[in-house]
Amino acid sequence: MLNLAIYCFYLAISLLITIHIGKLLNQNGLIFLTNQLVGNKPLALAINNLLLIGYYLINIGYILLVLNLGTSAMANGELNGQLYFLTRNLGLVTLMLGAMHMILLYVLANWKPDVQVTEEQ
């Protein structure tokens, strides 16, 4: 029964971190994308929303895949095994979130779109 509580705690913390970081990246990314797209805010908003959807899909999928890592350490029900499971899996999720963020920043910083400014913008 305690293992189920540990799994639920891992899922809750991982999802809360993912959702919070996703909201922050979405909010601040819109400003960056608008600048990269020479003020084309509708296009920047659309790209930003698509990036957020991809971010959530990749991270939630990764969180669910990592859920099975370290389950053998929890098999005996000892507190050490449960702490190992939590710290290892939360650490992997956090590292993956950070790596995705850095890669995306690099790509966006080096992205030079061919955007034509029209009078409607």
Side-chain angles (χ1 to χ4, degrees), residues 2-120:
L2 186 57
N3 286 351
L4 180 60
I6 296 295
Y7 285 136
C8 291
F9 184 72
Y10 161 74
L11 284 172
I13 295 296
S14 296
L15 291 174
L16 283 173
I17 290 171
T18 299
I19 291 168
H20 180 69
I21 297 297
K23 286 180 181 179
L24 286 174
L25 293 174
N26 187 262
Q27 177 184 356
N28 296 316
L30 181 59
I31 298 165
F32 184 78
L33 282 172
T34 303
N35 182 55
Q36 287 289 94
L37 295 170
V38 194
N40 190 344
K41 193 163 183 170
L43 181 59
L45 186 60
I47 292 172
N48 201 33
N49 288 335
L50 290 172
L51 287 171
L52 182 64
I53 291 168
Y55 168 85
Y56 283 146
L57 290 173
I58 290 171
N59 286 305
I60 291 171
Y62 185 77
I63 288 167
L64 294 174
L65 285 174
V66 168
L67 185 63
N68 290 323
L69 294 178
T71 53
S72 60
M74 289 182 53
N76 57 12
E78 291 182 9
L79 185 60
N80 286 345
Q82 292 162 346
L83 288 175
Y84 171 78
F85 171 84
L86 275 176
T87 56
R88 177 183 178 187
N89 290 2
L90 287 173
L92 285 171
V93 167
T94 305
L95 283 172
M96 203 274 278
L97 289 171
M100 279 185 56
H101 174 65
M102 296 308 293
I103 291 168
L104 186 59
L105 271 179
Y106 177 79
V107 168
L108 290 176
N110 292 307
W111 178 44
K112 306 292 184 213
D114 294 329
V115 177
Q116 296 177 357
V117 180
T118 63
E119 292 180 22
E120 294 176 17

